[in-house]
Amino acid sequence: QVQLVESGGGLVQPGGSLRLSCAASGFTLVDYAIGWFLQAPGKEREGVSCIRSIDGSRYYADSVKGRFTISRDNATNTLYLQMNSLKPEDTAVYYCNAERSITSTATRNYWGQGTQVTVSS
């Protein structure tokens, strides 16, 4: 069964840290472009960070550069997002995503169920 399961969200004070995990099953993360998205209340889902499958290069949204770090553990088939110096505006539901092109017109795309991150004093 193909599945992405996030964990690690919670309530943290401004300036604090959290580490999100996304455990994959039924497929191998290294074969996919993988990343983290967030969705704040009343807003559209937006990209936070990703790892390209072709060369492993990492990208970050400007809003999180220098504060968040994405990583992947191939042995455990798990994606991580280390979030430091958290701000109230980081509050959102965070989703992990894996995508792979199957043909020139078809892709395989998987989403996790999301984990809530709340930054508040």
Side-chain angles (χ1 to χ4, degrees):
Q1 181 182 2
V2 171
Q3 207 171 10
L4 289 172
V5 179
E6 297 108 332
S7 61
L11 173 64
V12 64
Q13 292 187 342
S17 297
L18 283 174
R19 188 193 195 201
L20 305 184
S21 300
C22 174
S25 58
F27 70 104
T28 303
L29 282 178
V30 73
D31 295 332
Y32 287 69
I34 51 178
W36 291 94
F37 291 72
L38 65 82
Q39 188 164 19
K43 296 187 177 181
E44 293 187 355
R45 193 170 298 185
E46 60 185 71
V48 176
S49 180
C50 65
I51 300 176
R52 291 180 61 186
S53 59
I54 190 170
D55 60 5
S57 55
R58 289 154 168 78
Y59 294 89
Y60 297 92
D62 288 343
S63 60
V64 306
K65 281 180 182 176
R67 300 189 298 122
F68 291 10
T69 303
I70 191 170
S71 63
R72 179 184 62 208
D73 186 330
N74 294 338
T76 61
N77 210 27
T78 303
L79 177 68
Y80 297 99
L81 185 68
Q82 177 67 44
M83 305 187 296
N84 299 328
S85 302
L86 282 161
K87 306 175 181 180
E89 51 264 43
D90 296 320
T91 295
V93 178
Y94 285 72
Y95 299 88
C96 63
N97 172 264
E99 184 175 286
R100 177 182 180 181
S101 294
I102 304 302
T103 68
S104 59
T105 58
T107 60
R108 196 169 285 165
N109 192 300
Y110 305 124
W111 289 94
Q113 83 287 355
T115 185
Q116 176 71 47
V117 171
T118 302
V119 185
S120 175
S121 55

